[in-house]
């Protein structure tokens, strides 16, 4: 219906999902998500990435709107995750002559997922395929951003980078595709969230990818989710660069669980003391109410992190346990950290958190403590010291 030419015979062929509650059945997507695919028209035609299998019909109509009854010569698979590879079979059925382009790891996955082993062109770092009419595709391997087979495709003349999940974000597209036309400020927090939920563990690999991209002149960044970045492309690369190095702003996240409110009182006390010490950005999350997805995004953004929670069956309160494990999984680094617990008969919180964070490169800035039953003056003093140390560490 709508033919969206991004620039110079490069078209958008993606779809929007505004019905799923959760991305990967894990991460809330209140504003939906897009699965982006692109059509590059030279003398030959290439399709870059596909969409989830359930959107195949819509996808074929979109492609037909763009190319009419022409053939697609190549399907470039930058990433094999099924939200991008799901339409491979139907595209092959539709265009039986099509050649699938991927690297050796892609080829193995295409065989495993879809039983396809013929008509595959295996490319290596810096290989090129010329579509004619000034459209040469160059391939760059970017392993673990965020699967082992991930690669990027660059069109030299047009300075287009098809980046896979990198530089992508949650949020369906609302009409326009590029940031020249669409209002994109609302996508930026969703980029932090997408990165912290899905990519954060692979910071080193993201840096390696950024090093490879550094010599390229990049006009348009075409990710597999979210808007196409053009006027903001430098800013978007800077965000990724900063996130992959675990850089942070001077603020503090306090994430807690509390059943009866005693632990929560300490949170209020600590937040007040932080504010008295000059910390302006203080983000408090009750982990029973805020999905860990949003908490992780704030943790990736701010320098300070404080976690508190009740002892629960000689272990951590489940919502707190979930967050601590999510932090450990992502090997979050360069943070100033403090933690405390509460209990009624036998404390378990601080020793459990200590065990979980043992190998993380984070600074514990205050002595962990456990409150017995309810706040008292000694505990209030421990909160004040914790907050002062944290303020000194992040400001
Ligand atoms: C299901 C359940 C299990 C608990 N397990 C323990 C425990 O193993 N050790 C302990 O000292 N307190 C345990 N408690 C008590 C709470 O940890 C304690 O009351 C805590 O301080 C409550 O903090 P809150 O007021 O912030 O919810 C348990 C409470 C519940 C409801
Ligand atoms: Fe992915
Ligand atoms: Fe994806």
């Amino acid at each position: 219906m709508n033919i969206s030419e991004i620039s110079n015979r490069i078209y958008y062929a993606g779809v929007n999902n505004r019905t799923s509650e959760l991305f990967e059945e894990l991460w809330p997507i209140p504003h939906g998500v897009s699965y982006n695919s692109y059509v590059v028209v030279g003398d030959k035609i290439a399709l870059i990435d596909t969409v989830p299998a359930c959107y195949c019909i819509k996808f074929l109509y979109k492609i037909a709107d763009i190319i009419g009854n022409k053939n697609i010569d190549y399907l470039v698979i930058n990433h094999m995750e099924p939200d991008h590879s799901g339409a491979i079979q139907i595209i092959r059925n539709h265009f039986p002559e099509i050649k699938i382009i991927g690297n050796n790891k892609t080829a193995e996955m295409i065989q495993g997922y879809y039983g396809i082993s013929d008509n595959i062109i295996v490319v290596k770092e810096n290989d090129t395929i010329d579509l004619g009419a000034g459209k040469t595709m160059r391939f760059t391997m970017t392993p673990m951003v965020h699967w082992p087979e991930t690669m990027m495709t660059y069109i030299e003349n047009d300075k287009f980078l098809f980046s896979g999940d990198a530089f992508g974000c949650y949020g369906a597209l609302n009409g326009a595709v590029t940031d020249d036309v669409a209002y994109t400020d609302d996508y930026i927090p969703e980029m932090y969230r997408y990165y912290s939920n899905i990519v954060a563990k692979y910071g080193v690999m993201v840096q390696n990818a950024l090093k490879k991209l550094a010599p390229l002149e990049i006009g348009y960044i075409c990710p597999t989710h979210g808007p196409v970045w053009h006027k903001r492309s430098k800013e978007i690369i800077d965000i990724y660069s900063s996130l992959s190095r675990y850089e942070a702003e001077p603020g503090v996240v306090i994430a807690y669980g509390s059943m009866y409110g005693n632990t929560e009182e300490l949170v209020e006390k600590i937040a007040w003391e932080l504010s008295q010490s000059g910390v302006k950005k203080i983000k408090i999350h009750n982990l029973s109410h805020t999905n860990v997805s949003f908490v992780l995004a704030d943790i990736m953004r701010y320098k300070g992190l404080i976690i508190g929670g009740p002892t629960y069956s000689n272990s951590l309160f489940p919502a707190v346990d979930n967050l601590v494990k999510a932090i450990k999984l992502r090997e979050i680094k360069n943070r100033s950290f403090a933690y405390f617990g509460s209990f009624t008969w036998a404390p378990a919180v601080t020793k459990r958190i200590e065990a979980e964070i043992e190998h993380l490169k984070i600074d514990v800035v205050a002595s962990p403590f456990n409150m017995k039953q309810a706040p008292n003056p000694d505990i209030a003093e421990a909160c004040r010291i914790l907050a002062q140390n944290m303020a000194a560490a992040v400001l």
Side-chain angles (χ1 to χ4, degrees):
M1 250 178 15
N2 299 322
I3 300 182
S4 174
E5 183 174 14
I6 299 165
S7 167
N8 198 22
R9 289 176 282 115
I10 298 176
Y11 299 86
Y12 181 79
V15 297
N16 285 309
N17 175 355
R18 297 194 189 86
T19 54
S20 299
E21 299 273 325
L22 299 173
F23 185 77
E24 295 180 352
E25 296 300 327
L26 275 175
W27 314 109
I29 39 172
H31 313 293
V33 69
S34 72
Y35 307 101
N36 301 344
S37 166
Y38 303 91
V39 176
V40 182
V41 179
D43 295 328
K44 294 188 168 178
I45 297 178
L47 180 64
I48 304 202
D49 292 313
T50 75
V51 298
C54 60
Y55 293 101
C56 277
I57 303 292
K58 212 177 229 184
F59 186 47
L60 287 176
Y61 278 123
K62 283 209 143 189
I63 292 169
D65 283 344
I66 297 165
I67 64 169
N69 57 8
K70 293 202 189 85
N71 248 314
I72 299 180
D73 301 279
Y74 300 106
L75 168 58
V76 176
I77 296 293
N78 284 325
H79 185 19
M80 271 300 290
E81 204 170 357
D83 55 339
H84 309 299
S85 70
I88 287 183
Q89 269 166 333
I90 205 155
I91 289 290
R92 277 241 311 186
N93 291 346
H94 225 75
F95 304 100
E97 308 286 289
I98 200 166
K99 302 257 187 309
I100 300 179
I101 300 173
N103 53 62
N104 55 359
K105 294 197 187 82
T106 324
E108 191 222 301
M109 291 186 189
I110 293 178
Q111 164 70 38
Y113 272 103
Y114 306 110
I116 296 172
S117 54
D118 61 316
N119 272 340
I120 294 179
I121 299 176
V122 173
V123 292
K124 309 180 298 300
E125 181 71 25
N126 258 324
D127 279 359
T128 56
I129 289 180
D130 188 2
L131 299 174
K135 302 258 182 283
T136 301
M137 303 185 289
R138 182 179 292 280
F139 306 99
T140 295
M141 305 303 133
T142 52
M144 299 316 296
V145 185
H146 81 241
W147 275 21
E149 85 303 353
T150 41
M151 63 180 204
M152 297 187 189
T153 301
Y154 180 63
I155 303 225
E156 291 170 328
N157 284 4
D158 301 300
K159 304 181 178 63
F160 261 68
L161 179 71
F162 299 94
S163 62
D165 282 339
F167 313 114
C169 58
Y170 302 128
L173 299 184
N174 300 315
V177 172
T178 73
D179 66 358
D180 296 316
V181 187
Y183 175 79
T184 52
D185 282 3
D186 295 342
Y187 291 93
I188 303 296
E190 290 294 76
M191 177 171 290
Y192 277 85
R193 197 158 67 85
Y194 183 89
Y195 184 95
S196 65
N197 296 174
I198 290 161
V199 191
K201 185 175 171 65
Y202 310 111
V204 173
M205 284 75 169
V206 172
Q207 283 174 54
N208 290 342
L210 291 173
K211 272 183 214 131
K212 285 190 182 182
L213 299 180
L216 303 182
E217 257 189 81
I218 295 176
Y220 289 84
I221 299 176
C222 301
T224 45
H225 305 283
V228 167
W229 303 107
H230 180 224
K231 72 176 181 197
R232 298 183 85 161
S233 59
K234 186 185 173 304
E235 179 191 345
I236 297 307
I237 292 172
D238 287 346
I239 290 176
Y240 252 66
S241 169
S242 154
L243 281 168
S244 65
R245 284 181 279 117
Y246 300 89
E247 287 181 354
E249 298 170 30
V252 178
V253 179
I254 312 179
Y256 73 99
S258 183
M259 294 176 281
Y260 314 116
N262 294 291
T263 314
E264 187 175 49
E265 270 193 58
L266 304 194
V267 169
E268 301 287 5
K269 169 75 177 162
I270 290 167
W272 190 81
E273 294 287 355
L274 282 170
S275 71
Q276 297 308 294
S277 301
V279 180
K280 297 230 177 292
K281 283 186 181 158
I282 302 171
K283 300 275 184 172
I284 302 182
H285 292 295
N286 180 334
L287 296 170
S288 300
H289 293 268
T290 306
N291 184 284
V292 69
S293 168
F294 297 90
V295 185
L296 286 170
D298 276 345
I299 291 173
M300 282 303 291
R301 190 152 194 163
Y302 298 108
K303 176 78 177 160
L305 171 61
I306 301 171
I307 295 180
T311 303
Y312 195 90
S313 301
N314 202 29
S315 187
L316 297 178
F317 184 63
V320 174
D321 191 47
N322 185 36
L323 176 68
V324 172
K325 291 206 159 71
I327 291 168
K328 187 179 173 185
L329 184 90
R330 286 162 185 74
E331 296 170 40
I332 285 174
K333 297 175 187 50
N334 301 340
R335 291 294 174 274
S336 302
F337 186 49
Y339 55 103
F340 61 93
S342 65
F343 70 107
T344 289
W345 64 93
V349 172
T350 53
K351 62 177 188 284
R352 288 290 312 137
I353 294 182
E354 190 186 340
E356 294 282 8
I357 62 159
E358 201 172 31
H359 299 295
L360 295 184
K361 291 184 185 135
I362 52 182
D363 290 331
V364 177
V365 300
S367 304
F369 59 85
N370 287 291
M371 166 180 72
K372 187 168 183 178
Q373 293 152 1
N376 60 50
D378 286 347
I379 287 294
E381 179 59 9
C383 289
R384 198 180 60 77
I385 293 169
L386 182 154
Q388 277 181 350
N389 290 4
M390 182 58 79
V394 303
L395 290 178

